[in-house]
Structures are given as C-alpha cells and as structure tokens.
Amino acid sequence: MTSNRINMQNPESCDTFVVLPPLTQHGVVFGKNSDRPQGEVQEVVFVPATQSSEPVKCTYIEVESAGFTKAVILSKPGWMWGAEMGANECGVVIGNEAVWTNDNEGDHDPSVKRLLGMDLVRLGLERGATATEALDVITQLLQKYGQGGPCSHTDEGFTYHNSFLIADPTVAWVLETSGKHWAAVEVTSGYRNISNVLTITTKIDKKSEGLEEYAKSKGLWDGE
C-alpha cells in the first residue's frame, strides 16, 4: 500500500505513440508524455522557416547548414536547442525516448558532448518533408556526428542513447539507436508505441551499415 501511494504521488512515465488507419477515421493520432526533471522549464515555441548558409549551433556542437529549414512548432526544455517532440509545416511529427544499452565506449560513449537526441528531433523536423526524409536526416547526422552529452541542465550524469517515433499523414517509423548504429521499422497501419527500452528484434526495414557484424563483434548477438 505504501509503495502504491508513493508511485501515485511521484508518477514517472515517458512514452510516445502513433495510431494510423484503419484504427482512426481521420488521419493520424500522435502523442507523447515526458518525465523530464522536476522544475525544468518547458517551452512550446514556433520557429519560422529560414534560409541560411551558416552552421547550426545545436545544444553542444555545430552541424552544417541545410540551406532551407521548414517552419516547426516544438515542445522543448528551455535550456537546450533541441526538442522532446514537435511538428513541421509538412505534417511530420517526431518524439524521442531515452534508451540505455550495453555499448557505451569510444564513439558510443553517451557522456561525450555530441548531438542530443532532442537536437536530432529538431533537425529531422526542420529538414524532412516526409517521415522517411526525416528518418534519413536523423540517421545521416547520427552516423556523422554521433550522439551524447548531459540531457539535464543540472545533472551532468544524466546521459543516454535515443529511440524515435517519426510519423506523417501516411506512414510512421520506429528508429532505435545505440551510439552511431541504428535500426528502423516502418509502420503503415494500426498502432505503435515506444518507451525507454529497445523493441526492434528481427524485423528491420532499414539499418546502419554493418550493424549485424558490429553486434556480433561486441558479443551482443550470437548471429541467430
């Protein structure tokens, strides 16, 4: 009884979901809730479309300009450049989740300041006209720059890898990552949700090059 009361008073849940036809009558339903640190300021902001050749300063590092960016509305922690979720003018929506893996050395060390998962959410929205384009934007930048850095303004040790749910009016993608490696599954009907664990198993529609060989070399998969 005591444990139940404590859980009710201090709920912790971070989930993202999408529902597509035939389970919806009109379009796609997408939502996310987040268990960010208490007291952190959350902003809902509109960022208009832009044109610039200047590098983009994300939370910790810079990336090259895309030239043009799309107008976006973002739900974001006030201190960071990136966002927990958002939508763009083309009808693309993205949310991310923290995931923890057993691959945390070298390029995959999440404590090193690189791109945050939240930065990748915003970059995907600003540069992708469809869910598939946004997936490609995120994975290309992930493989080039990697991911990592403190995900809290007050706790340097709060670090993680990321999963993403990316959707547009016709299709959704589940993208799960560990360091620079990733796997993605396409969802064209029904529903899908993600939380703070990896969920993709043997059905993989897109993946980083050499994923299987890398997993075997690290002793994370037996090849079966």
Side-chain angles (χ1 to χ4, degrees):
M1 290 294 290
T2 301
S3 175
N4 286 340
R5 283 199 297 271
I6 291 173
N7 288 339
M8 289 172 65
Q9 292 170 0
N10 300 283
E12 293 185 2
S13 181
C14 192
D15 308 276
T16 308
F17 75 91
V18 66
V19 187
L20 300 95
L23 300 183
T24 61
Q25 291 184 339
H26 305 288
V28 172
V29 178
F30 178 91
K32 173 180 164 67
N33 62 292
S34 183
D35 57 354
R36 296 294 304 172
Q38 275 192 333
E40 183 181 71
V41 174
Q42 301 294 311
E43 300 176 338
V44 177
V45 300
F46 171 74
V47 183
T50 63
Q51 179 180 356
S52 173
S53 60
E54 294 297 314
V56 179
K57 178 62 170 71
C58 301
T59 303
Y60 296 123
I61 67 169
E62 289 185 347
V63 301
E64 68 276 11
S65 170
F68 295 91
T69 64
K70 294 162 179 58
V72 296
I73 185 167
L74 306 170
S75 175
K76 62 186 290 295
W79 64 272
M80 71 172 60
W81 183 84
E84 287 268 305
M85 67 174 173
N88 72 17
E89 61 183 287
C90 303
V92 179
V93 290
I94 308 177
N96 80 303
E97 300 287 333
V99 293
W100 290 268
T101 81
N102 294 324
D103 187 20
N104 301 299
E105 298 177 353
D107 284 346
H108 293 198
D109 183 350
S111 68
V112 178
K113 292 180 178 179
R114 302 185 178 101
L115 287 174
L116 292 180
M118 287 68 74
D119 295 335
L120 290 165
V121 168
R122 179 169 174 175
L123 289 163
L125 290 169
E126 289 187 341
R127 303 182 181 198
T130 67
T132 303
E133 280 189 15
L135 170 72
D136 292 340
V137 167
I138 290 172
T139 54
Q140 289 166 13
L141 291 170
L142 177 72
Q143 290 181 235
K144 182 172 183 178
Y145 294 100
Q147 61 180 317
C151 298
S152 166
H153 200 39
T154 57
D155 182 359
E156 288 285 318
F158 186 42
T159 63
Y160 47 77
H161 300 300
N162 290 267
S163 66
F164 304 85
L165 190 55
I166 309 165
D168 64 24
T170 61
V171 69
W173 286 93
V174 174
L175 169 62
E176 297 182 346
T177 74
S178 177
K180 291 187 174 183
H181 280 287
W182 58 274
V185 170
E186 186 178 32
V187 183
T188 56
S189 64
Y191 68 92
R192 191 70 153 78
N193 72 284
I194 60 173
S195 191
N196 299 122
V197 296
L198 299 178
T199 63
I200 296 173
T201 56
T202 55
K203 181 187 183 300
I204 299 175
D205 296 312
K206 289 191 174 188
K207 64 182 186 301
S208 53
E209 185 176 353
L211 176 64
E212 294 95 335
E213 292 78 9
Y214 179 81
K216 286 191 284 188
S217 74
K218 300 289 286 187
L220 300 171
W221 181 46
D222 64 4
E224 296 297 322

